[in-house]
Amino acid sequence: MAYYYSEPSHTFSEYLLVPGYTSEDCIPTNVSLRTPLVKFKKGEESSINLNIPLVSAIMQSVSDNNMAIALAKEGGLSFIYGSQSVEDEAAMVAKVKNYKAGFVVSDSNLRPDSTLADVLALVEKTGHSTIAITDNGMYNGKLIGIVTSRDYRVSSMSPNTPVKEFMTPRSKLITAPENTSLNEANDIIWEHKVNQLPIVDSDDRLLYLVFRKDYDQHEEQPLELLDSNKRFMVGAGINTKDYEERVPALVEAGADVLCIDSSEGYTIWQKKTLDFIRAKYGDSVKVGAGNVVDRDGFRFLAEAGADFIKVGIGGGSICITREQKGIGRGQATALIEVAAARDEYFAETGVYVPICSDGGIVHDYHMTLALAMGADFLMLGRYFARFDESPTPKLNVNGTYVKEYWGEGSNRARNWQRYDLGGKAKLSFEEGVDSYVVYAGPLKDNVNKSLYKVKSTMCNCGVLTIPELQRDAKITLVSATSIVEGGYHDVMLKTTNNKL
């Protein structure tokens, strides 16, 4: 006879947090949202911690290199989507890792006999306005000069003008030797009031560029997520089919953490993928797995060696797995059970395996509820798809600005690997839809607003950290009538324009 759960599964909207005592020190500015990303042993600290508990979903319409950079600036992490060629995904990872570092290898280089037209074409291609002029036009050639946007005026110059006629020549450049530290380089930049500082070797060959803007940005973004080399951190999605080729390429490109992207993680295919990674790299490569919705699924992936485990099946706004296959579970109920399994596993083994709540976040307050129910961090798709930094274009549909958003199980994405159960290499039926989401503007403003709500609610609960919230939160299940009462009622609104 089939097993029947005695209680129905619930979503986040069916719960509320009950306030706790708020002391005078419990204010939003004192709240820390730092949280572990990968597993660690009791008494130790995770090797990777997020500064905010948000990661972006492994989706074509959400997570490319631009999203990864924007989210890392705020303290979160993106997982570059894996439903593309190995080479293209690795290239996106490399773009993130090379975007910001204390010492940047120049990716915009020309020869002295290049022209203004070449400059404009290179700026268009790379998006970078600083171009190193070297004897051979290579990143490591002998430094001849520098060209920036202040060195030329398109309206009054011929496109055929040679670079050597308008560049800032080597004789007028402030440079530093190869053994210069980052602090020393920044001091030189400030002392000489320059925007970039070339680092050269004893033969005057270009090694790196150090930029003033990197220092300024760091001062404005104290939570930015950086690796030990001061580069933005980035994750990447993998599947259970071509992992023997994809994983080495992503590791080589510099991915800080990987995640198996699958609609259902309690499978032999995920174990085989984890076994391959552990055999080849040991514990040096961090990889998450999932998705699961119960204790058994968590235990399976934890024992298989996952560094974190994603929770949720069918709760995403574009996901129709439950409709198509009748498989899934209410996100709140799934998260509560898996969190209990994680704590049980920690008590038994001394190994803490973080869990990620993936799906079911409709309102900002759901974020706080998910964290209180045990999630260490949240994976969001629709939320991030609305922002300027997502890969899709902004469109005007019937007078409303929107962005396109589609599921990995839709015919548009055709990410059959994500739903594969050892069958044929095709998408037999859809498990996602193709849709629009209302455009919301820049990521920074929206993330700060959402997380201020989270921090404010945590203060209402009398806590200052996520572990304290998980330990001390009081959560109540609410009736259908209570849910209705929670919104505005018995009034006539002055305006009907309530779009978020």
Side-chain angles (χ1 to χ4, degrees):
M1 179 179 175
Y3 177 81
Y4 289 87
Y5 288 89
S6 59
E7 295 290 334
S9 62
H10 298 285
T11 65
F12 294 130
S13 290
E14 297 175 76
Y15 289 91
L16 288 174
L17 287 156
V18 176
Y21 171 69
T22 302
S23 69
E24 62 182 12
D25 294 327
C26 204
I27 57 176
T29 53
N30 289 340
V31 172
S32 169
L33 295 178
R34 193 168 187 264
T35 190
L37 177 70
V38 298
K39 67 183 178 184
F40 58 94
K41 294 180 180 179
K42 186 175 182 179
E44 299 179 356
E45 185 172 312
S46 176
S47 60
I48 304 177
N49 289 283
L50 301 171
N51 291 325
I52 61 172
L54 305 181
V55 300
S56 65
I58 312 169
M59 302 176 71
Q60 295 174 11
S61 55
V62 178
S63 297
D64 65 356
N65 50 288
N66 293 319
M67 175 61 70
I69 291 167
L71 187 50
K73 287 179 180 179
E74 303 308 314
L77 185 93
S78 287
F79 286 90
I80 302 295
Y81 68 90
S83 51
Q84 59 180 320
S85 71
V86 172
E87 295 76 16
D88 287 347
E89 185 180 11
M92 282 191 180
V93 169
K95 286 180 180 179
V96 179
K97 300 308 294 185
N98 293 330
Y99 178 82
K100 182 183 187 302
F103 297 92
V104 179
V105 176
S106 177
D107 69 349
S108 299
N109 311 284
L110 291 173
R111 293 163 52 97
D113 56 0
S114 300
T115 65
L116 175 59
D118 296 323
V119 170
L120 298 177
L122 190 56
V123 170
E124 176 70 20
K125 178 182 178 182
T126 66
H128 298 158
S129 60
T130 298
I131 299 174
I133 310 303
T134 60
D135 60 345
N136 59 5
M138 301 294 290
Y139 69 92
N140 58 355
K142 188 171 183 178
L143 186 62
I144 305 298
I146 291 285
V147 168
T148 71
S149 58
R150 292 188 291 185
D151 291 316
Y152 57 87
R153 188 176 180 184
V154 177
S155 61
S156 60
M157 293 172 61
S158 167
N160 297 320
T161 305
V163 165
K164 59 187 175 184
E165 292 186 10
F166 60 87
M167 70 180 184
T168 300
R170 173 68 180 86
S171 60
K172 295 184 178 180
L173 292 176
I174 303 298
T175 63
E178 58 185 305
N179 60 351
T180 302
S181 70
L182 185 58
N183 285 337
E184 291 171 338
N186 283 322
D187 288 342
I188 294 171
I189 287 173
W190 282 97
E191 178 184 350
H192 292 276
K193 297 181 175 62
V194 293
N195 290 321
Q196 64 280 318
L197 179 70
I199 308 296
V200 296
D201 66 12
S202 57
D203 294 324
D204 217 29
R205 294 190 175 277
L206 181 63
L207 299 175
Y208 308 104
L209 294 170
V210 178
F211 291 93
R212 172 192 290 265
K213 67 177 183 179
D214 286 348
Y215 177 85
D216 291 340
Q217 286 177 354
H218 178 66
E219 291 298 297
E220 296 171 1
Q221 296 154 185
L223 294 179
E224 59 186 358
L225 196 64
L226 305 176
D227 64 18
S228 58
N229 295 314
K230 298 187 181 300
R231 301 175 300 177
F232 284 133
M233 300 189 76
V234 62
I238 60 174
N239 61 68
T240 57
K241 280 293 183 181
D242 64 5
Y243 54 85
E244 293 186 6
E245 176 188 4
R246 191 172 295 268
V247 170
L250 295 174
V251 171
E252 177 67 23
D256 297 284
V257 58
L258 307 176
C259 183
I260 303 172
D261 182 29
S262 175
S263 65
E264 206 274 289
Y266 192 4
T267 72
I268 185 60
W269 315 113
Q270 294 226 355
K271 185 178 186 304
K272 286 185 175 182
T273 305
L274 291 167
D275 287 345
F276 166 80
I277 293 172
R278 293 297 172 240
K280 185 174 180 66
Y281 298 101
D283 292 328
S284 64
V285 170
K286 307 302 181 184
V287 55
N291 288 19
V292 300
V293 292
D294 65 0
R295 176 186 182 277
D296 293 343
F298 173 86
R299 294 288 300 212
F300 175 79
L301 291 178
E303 291 167 1
D307 285 293
F308 67 84
I309 294 172
K310 290 202 294 157
V311 181
I313 295 177
S317 61
I318 41 68
C319 184
I320 54 173
T321 295
R322 296 178 190 175
E323 289 182 21
Q324 294 281 49
K325 299 169 72 174
I327 287 177
R329 200 176 192 189
Q331 186 67 9
T333 299
L335 184 57
I336 290 167
E337 180 172 324
V338 174
R342 176 206 53 207
D343 295 344
E344 174 188 90
Y345 187 80
F346 180 53
E348 290 179 11
T349 66
V351 177
Y352 187 92
V353 182
I355 58 175
C356 168
S357 181
D358 179 16
I361 302 293
V362 180
H363 306 290
D364 285 345
Y365 82 89
H366 289 171
M367 296 182 183
T368 321
L369 273 169
L371 295 170
M373 289 175 177
D376 295 283
F377 57 98
L378 319 174
M379 178 171 280
L380 306 171
R382 179 195 62 85
Y383 178 84
F384 287 114
R386 304 172 301 145
F387 302 151
D388 288 322
E389 295 82 359
S390 72
T392 64
K394 183 173 70 171
L395 306 172
N396 190 314
V397 176
N398 298 325
T400 299
Y401 283 107
V402 298
K403 298 202 77 174
E404 294 179 296
Y405 179 48
W406 60 91
E408 289 297 292
S410 66
N411 272 326
R412 181 172 186 174
R414 303 202 68 80
N415 183 6
W416 65 269
Q417 296 96 330
R418 187 177 197 274
Y419 301 87
D420 179 61
L421 293 174
K424 297 179 180 179
K426 66 178 183 178
L427 193 66
S428 300
F429 57 88
E430 288 186 279
E431 292 189 44
V433 299
D434 194 349
S435 63
Y436 297 120
V437 289
V438 177
Y439 168 69
L443 178 146
K444 180 181 178 65
D445 294 345
N446 285 277
V447 165
N448 287 342
K449 180 179 180 180
S450 295
L451 293 183
Y452 188 85
K453 293 180 185 178
V454 172
K455 292 179 178 180
S456 180
T457 305
M458 288 173 65
C459 289
N460 291 141
C461 295
V463 300
L464 292 173
T465 67
I466 292 173
E468 289 177 3
L469 178 66
Q470 294 169 346
R471 182 193 68 204
D472 298 339
K474 294 182 290 184
I475 304 173
T476 181
L477 191 63
V478 297
S479 68
T481 304
S482 294
I483 294 173
V484 173
E485 182 184 65
Y488 63 84
H489 58 90
D490 302 319
V491 295
M492 182 183 297
L493 295 184
K494 292 183 178 180
T495 175
T496 57
N497 184 18
N498 288 313
K499 296 188 177 79
L500 296 178

